[in-house]
Amino acid sequence: MPTPKKGPRLASSPAHERLMLANMATSLFEHGRITTTLPKAKRLRPLAERLITFAKRGDLHSRRRVMRVIRNKSVVHKLFTEIAEQMEQREGGYTRIVKIAPRRGDAAPAAIIELVTEPVSPKKAVVKEAEAATKVAANEEAPVEAPAETETNEAENAE
């Protein structure tokens, strides 16, 4: 068997790695947080976030794409009803990885990967809206002030 070109795998083959990640994603959505090794958590994060993005869309095609990875229908239902509803206001960053002490048996670097359930702070959204409104107001006032300044300058030049 030729060696993989894209770097080392988490398991012996790409198929085994896909199955491991699918099982970890299922457990993550079922329990809300799982403890695993740091490399596995880092490989799981993009997959889990992509599945949550599909769940936020909520259509039949997205549900079928998620069902390709997560085979447990009750977990898929929970993902589409509860988790997608919690993540509705969030624009990415659905998971959090927290490093913990190394594992006892083999001293492998361990981590907790969990779903971010805190609501998005409305303060940031209000600040963005205020900045946008200020920018729009500045653009609207700038052309109005420009002719007034030229009239003032013309009056001073005439004197």
Side-chain angles (χ1 to χ4, degrees), residues 15-153:
H16 187 209
E17 181 176 339
R18 271 195 307 273
L19 289 171
M20 277 182 19
L21 291 174
N23 288 335
M24 287 194 300
T26 302
S27 298
L28 176 64
F29 296 138
E30 189 174 3
H31 302 292
R33 70 172 14 192
I34 57 172
T35 303
T36 183
T37 62
L38 186 60
K40 285 180 183 176
K42 287 182 176 180
R43 293 293 288 267
L44 175 62
R45 173 183 256 172
L47 175 69
E49 295 201 1
R50 191 168 66 241
L51 293 174
I52 292 172
T53 303
F54 283 136
K56 282 175 62 175
R57 286 188 201 159
D59 58 347
L60 181 62
H61 180 64
S62 299
R63 188 175 290 264
R64 287 180 175 160
R65 286 193 64 176
V66 170
M67 284 293 291
R68 283 191 226 165
V69 178
I70 299 175
R71 306 280 168 83
N72 190 342
K73 288 184 180 180
S74 63
V75 174
V76 172
H77 179 72
K78 180 178 179 181
L79 174 63
F80 273 76
T81 56
E82 298 172 18
I83 297 172
E85 203 172 281
Q86 289 176 348
M87 306 293 178
E88 194 64 39
Q89 300 299 321
R90 191 172 292 276
E91 297 179 5
Y94 310 120
T95 58
R96 174 187 302 133
I97 296 176
V98 181
K99 295 179 184 177
I100 57 175
R103 208 162 48 188
R104 272 181 76 94
D106 57 356
I112 295 174
I113 182 166
E114 60 188 356
L115 297 173
V116 179
T117 57
E118 294 87 25
V120 178
S121 68
K123 185 175 182 181
K124 291 180 183 176
V126 170
V127 169
K128 285 181 182 178
E129 289 176 12
E131 289 175 355
T134 305
K135 189 181 287 186
V136 169
N139 289 340
E140 289 177 359
E141 291 177 8
V144 174
E145 292 178 6
E149 290 176 5
T150 55
E151 291 172 8
T152 311
N153 291 339

Side-chain angles (χ1 to χ4, degrees), residues 1-9 11-15:
M1 177 182 146
T3 56
K5 300 285 190 251
K6 291 189 176 181
R9 303 275 184 219
S12 59
S13 68

